[in-house]
């Protein structure tokens, strides 16, 4: 089974050093991939590059960089640099992002998101395959006056955190796969996998991100999950998949319990059509819970 972990830390001394230490630990536990969400502090692509360089046992990815506030020429440069630095172990994950966060932060209008996604992916594909672009679209222009290929980069896998029908269609047509989050097995099997598969010319990757913790104190960790994941209940795309799962709180979708319980739930995601599973929010419990989680994921990833 292809299983990874999304890394984050509360370390306030040196964030990059702390993440590299985490990455070394999960690699020792047997995991093969780590992922980094984009926030307003660190740069996800840069962090993935450092980790990939420092921990050569791991593939690294972003999950995911919002396209609003960014241009595909600059994202291409980041991604190709990361791919060259890691010798082919970088994966670029993109997202539309949350309107309420991006409009206020960047002073932009969250206008025509799916059209922007289509054009963004089209430009990236051209840059990755030809080393240049000559694109003049409805919302984006990309005409670099100089070559835009990074020697040593090689192909960059292109994934999108798409869950709505239109975004999944664009992703299936123009990217390599999707990065759904808070989409339980029911939603994967009934909505996401059929939609992206129908739009893809080849078998798409479905990298399911799952909040999960191995713990002996499931009740306390569940309560923490409900509190910590409540943020997503205010974002329309997540509201939709939470509702389709038949629950009212995002925290109800977290996978929490002992090793046997968590392993059984992971298998449900694969049975629903996930090609990979990535555990995130593994810090919802104690530090020992997190270590137990990483150890179990490492054991399962070797099967």
């Amino acid at each position: 089974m292809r299983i990874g972990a999304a890394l984050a830390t509360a370390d306030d001394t040196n964030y990059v050093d702390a993440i590299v230490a985490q990455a070394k630990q999960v690699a020792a536990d047997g995991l093969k991939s780590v992922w980094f969400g984009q926030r307003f502090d660190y740069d996800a692509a840069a962090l993935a590059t450092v980790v990939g360089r420092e921990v050569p046992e791991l593939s690294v990815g972003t999950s995911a960089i919002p396209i609003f506030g960014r241009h595909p020429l600059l994202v291409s440069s980041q991604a190709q640099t990361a791919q060259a630095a890691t010798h082919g172990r970088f994966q670029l994950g993109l997202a539309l992002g949350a309107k309420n966060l991006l409009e206020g932060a960047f002073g932009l209008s969250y206008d025509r998101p799916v059209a922007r996604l289509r054009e963004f992916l089209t430009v990236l594909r051209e840059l990755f395959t030809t080393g240049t672009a000559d694109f003049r679209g409805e919302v984006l222009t990309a005409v670099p006056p100089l070559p835009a290929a990074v020697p040593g980069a090689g192909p960059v896998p292109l994934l999108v955190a798409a869950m709505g029908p239109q975004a999944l269609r664009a992703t299936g047509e123009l990217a390599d796969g999707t990065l759904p989050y808070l989409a339980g097995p029911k939603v994967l099997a009934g909505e996401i996998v059929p939609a992206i598969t129908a739009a893809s010319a080849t078998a798409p990757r479905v990298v399911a991100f799952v909040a999960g913790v191995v713990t002996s104190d499931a009740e306390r960790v569940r309560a923490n999950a409900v509190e910590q994941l409540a943020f997503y209940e205010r974002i329309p795309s997540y509201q939709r998949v939470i509702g389709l799962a038949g629950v009212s709180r995002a925290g109800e979708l977290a996978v929490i319990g002992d090793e046997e319980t968590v392993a059984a739930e992971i298998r449900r995601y694969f049975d629903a059509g996930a090609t990979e599973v990535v555990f995130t929010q593994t810090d919802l419990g104690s530090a020992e819970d997190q270590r137990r989680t990483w150890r179990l994921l490492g054991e399962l990833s070797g099967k």
Side-chain angles (χ1 to χ4, degrees):
M1 290 187 282
R2 299 182 67 177
I3 300 174
L7 300 185
T9 180
D11 186 278
D12 59 359
T13 303
N14 187 303
Y15 194 90
V16 175
D17 288 347
I19 287 293
V20 169
Q22 276 195 359
K24 290 179 177 179
Q25 183 60 65
V26 300
D29 287 333
L31 286 171
K32 304 302 182 189
S33 70
V34 291
W35 298 76
F36 305 97
Q38 181 63 60
R39 309 190 314 202
F40 287 105
D41 44 12
Y42 66 76
D43 181 86
L47 188 58
T49 304
V50 171
V51 170
R53 193 78 172 181
E54 292 271 339
V55 193
E57 305 96 313
L58 295 172
S59 67
V60 294
T62 60
S63 59
I65 298 172
I67 62 174
F68 279 86
R70 292 169 174 82
H71 192 280
L73 281 171
L74 301 180
V75 172
S76 172
S77 297
Q78 282 185 303
Q80 290 188 71
T81 302
Q83 192 67 306
T86 61
H87 296 276
R89 290 177 286 111
F90 176 77
Q91 307 173 77
L92 177 61
L94 300 173
L96 288 173
K99 176 181 179 180
N100 59 331
L101 293 179
L102 297 174
E103 285 191 333
F106 294 114
L108 299 172
S109 173
Y110 194 82
D111 186 45
R112 302 185 65 192
V114 175
R116 181 173 294 272
L117 176 63
R118 282 188 170 278
E119 294 191 4
F120 209 101
L121 295 175
T122 299
V123 172
L124 282 177
R125 278 297 189 200
E126 189 173 354
L127 290 166
F128 290 162
T129 56
T130 71
T132 188
D134 185 6
F135 184 87
R136 297 169 180 82
E138 297 179 8
V139 297
L140 288 174
T141 294
V143 188
L146 298 169
V150 176
V156 179
L158 185 52
L159 304 157
V160 181
M163 295 190 293
Q166 294 183 67
L168 281 167
R169 187 177 305 114
T171 298
E173 293 172 3
L174 298 167
D176 298 308
T178 184
L179 305 166
Y181 174 54
L182 294 178
K186 176 183 176 182
V187 178
L188 277 183
E191 300 282 335
I192 290 175
V193 173
I196 192 169
T197 301
S200 301
T202 58
R205 291 174 61 188
V206 179
V207 186
F209 278 70
V210 181
V213 181
V214 176
T215 182
S216 301
D217 192 358
E219 184 175 348
R220 180 183 65 83
V221 175
R222 177 72 64 190
N224 194 26
V226 169
E227 178 182 349
Q228 295 297 320
L229 303 185
F231 162 80
Y232 295 98
E233 297 161 13
R234 302 192 296 271
I235 300 173
S237 59
Y238 291 112
Q239 289 173 347
R240 178 177 176 274
V241 293
I242 292 168
L244 287 172
V247 300
S248 59
R249 305 301 307 272
E252 295 177 71
L253 293 167
V255 173
I256 297 169
D258 61 15
E259 282 82 355
E260 184 177 355
T261 299
V262 171
E265 286 299 305
I266 289 173
R267 292 187 184 95
R268 288 186 63 218
Y269 277 87
F270 282 106
D271 290 344
T275 59
E276 301 159 60
V277 170
V278 176
F279 258 41
T280 185
Q281 274 91 22
T282 59
D283 58 353
L284 288 169
S286 66
E288 177 52 32
D289 289 340
Q290 187 172 57
R291 285 301 316 283
R292 283 177 67 184
T293 305
W294 291 344
R295 285 195 292 266
L296 174 66
L297 298 178
E299 291 170 8
L300 293 175
S301 67
K303 295 182 178 179

